[in-house]
Amino acid sequence: MRFIGGFADNDGVRIHYFDSNNLADSDVAPLLICPGLSETAEEYIDLLEFLLPRRCIVLSFRGRGNSDTPERGYDLDEHRSDIEAVIRTLGLQQFHLFGHSRGASYALGCAAAPNELHIRSLLLGDYPPEHRQMPSGWADEYIHDYLIPYQRTSNIRTEAVWGIQRESRLVALDSPSPLPALILRGTLEGSLIKDLDMQRYRNKFRLLKVEEFHRSGHDLMGTEREGCYEAIRAFLNARDSVNVV
């Protein structure tokens, strides 16, 4: 691995991250990446490669990848604090913030004041502007119908899945924001951004760009990964042209 690996201390919980700072251009605003529910930092190494020479940082949230797995602490506030721990550890001052799937809700939660002052833009992948409470029976189904068959139990521990089931509460995250935003949205069945959610995003962000992927439902990072990466790079480059680093 040619990128820097490290840990941020979040009140005793170690949060693992990768950082491409050793190969990056320090004059370009970095991107901080928040993976989806069962994704790890390792799964975004190719995006770090793709976006060079822009510095990118990607974390594994608590209970995922090489991060610690506490017994409790799996609601929005704790996941948001994982992002903030990485920001503090690396001393990030001005950066773009990208969250995919469930990671979008964590990014939206983080993008409130005072963090908003440090964030240049938000990039959000196929998730509505809210933090969702998981329905009864979700954890058991998710573990046995997805994680075990697809061999992803090393990506997210079952303790974390049960913690999310037990602790998550619904939080609306659609209040107006001055930040520029990019929404990546699948158009096929399975997309988590419905038309009503899209209107909520249009009401939330005055400066909004939407990229739709017509061969994808929710798994747009799997079915149209290259197109997503191209859209992310184009959006970030456009923001650089109007912002002074």
Side-chain angles (χ1 to χ4, degrees):
M1 188 71 64
R2 64 180 185 145
F3 297 128
I4 301 166
F7 291 90
D9 180 10
N10 185 6
D11 195 23
V13 177
R14 297 191 316 156
I15 302 301
H16 181 244
Y17 64 84
F18 287 114
D19 183 356
S20 65
N21 191 38
N22 55 319
L23 300 173
D25 181 351
S26 61
D27 291 330
V28 180
L31 174 68
L32 178 56
I33 302 166
C34 304
L37 180 64
S38 69
E39 293 180 323
T40 68
E42 285 79 2
E43 293 177 273
Y44 283 81
I45 290 298
D46 59 342
L47 181 55
L48 270 64
E49 294 273 4
F50 183 85
L51 291 177
L52 283 172
R54 183 183 302 275
R55 180 186 182 186
C56 293
I57 304 99
V58 58
L59 69 143
S60 289
F61 285 103
R62 56 186 55 219
R64 286 82 149 182
N66 290 312
S67 293
D68 287 347
T69 307
E71 291 184 6
R72 301 193 64 85
Y74 291 96
D75 202 359
L76 175 60
D77 286 346
E78 291 84 6
H79 285 90
R80 179 179 62 194
S81 72
D82 290 345
I83 304 171
E84 293 169 346
V86 173
I87 293 170
R88 288 194 306 272
T89 297
L90 297 178
L92 299 179
Q93 295 297 318
Q94 293 287 311
F95 58 91
H96 305 278
L97 184 60
F98 170 45
H100 176 58
S101 189
R102 183 80 167 183
S105 70
Y106 303 150
L108 283 166
C110 182
N115 294 326
E116 188 179 79
L117 300 176
H118 302 288
I119 298 172
R120 286 179 173 267
S121 71
L122 275 170
L123 301 84
L124 305 167
D126 206 73
Y127 207 79
E130 62 192 26
H131 181 258
R132 289 184 165 178
Q133 181 175 2
M134 296 311 194
S136 176
W138 167 81
D140 192 62
E141 180 179 332
Y142 191 71
I143 292 167
H144 291 97
D145 294 350
Y146 178 62
L147 295 183
I148 292 175
Y150 289 92
Q151 301 180 333
R152 292 185 67 82
T153 52
S154 62
N155 288 50
I156 180 169
R157 263 74 73 191
T158 56
E159 296 93 331
V161 177
W162 285 108
I164 291 167
Q165 168 82 83
R166 181 181 62 246
E167 299 178 34
S168 293
R169 298 294 178 266
L170 178 64
V171 179
L173 298 169
D174 53 4
S175 59
S177 169
L179 294 173
L182 169 68
I183 304 297
L184 306 174
R185 180 194 188 191
T187 62
L188 299 183
E189 183 178 358
S191 173
L192 296 186
I193 299 182
K194 309 306 180 186
D195 290 343
L196 179 59
D197 300 316
M198 198 65 251
Q199 187 57 53
R200 294 167 70 194
Y201 272 127
R202 295 189 189 283
N203 293 339
K204 178 179 178 67
F205 296 113
R206 182 174 59 85
L207 299 173
L208 179 66
K209 182 174 180 59
V210 179
E211 292 284 353
E212 294 187 331
F213 296 86
H214 300 291
R215 293 188 287 108
S216 303
H218 180 60
D219 187 29
L220 48 89
M221 282 292 181
T223 52
E224 297 184 74
R225 196 175 189 86
E226 184 175 344
C228 290
Y229 285 8
E230 290 283 2
I232 289 169
R233 181 165 63 185
F235 177 79
L236 292 173
N237 288 347
R239 296 316 308 169
D240 289 340
S241 70
V242 298
N243 285 326
V244 178
V245 177

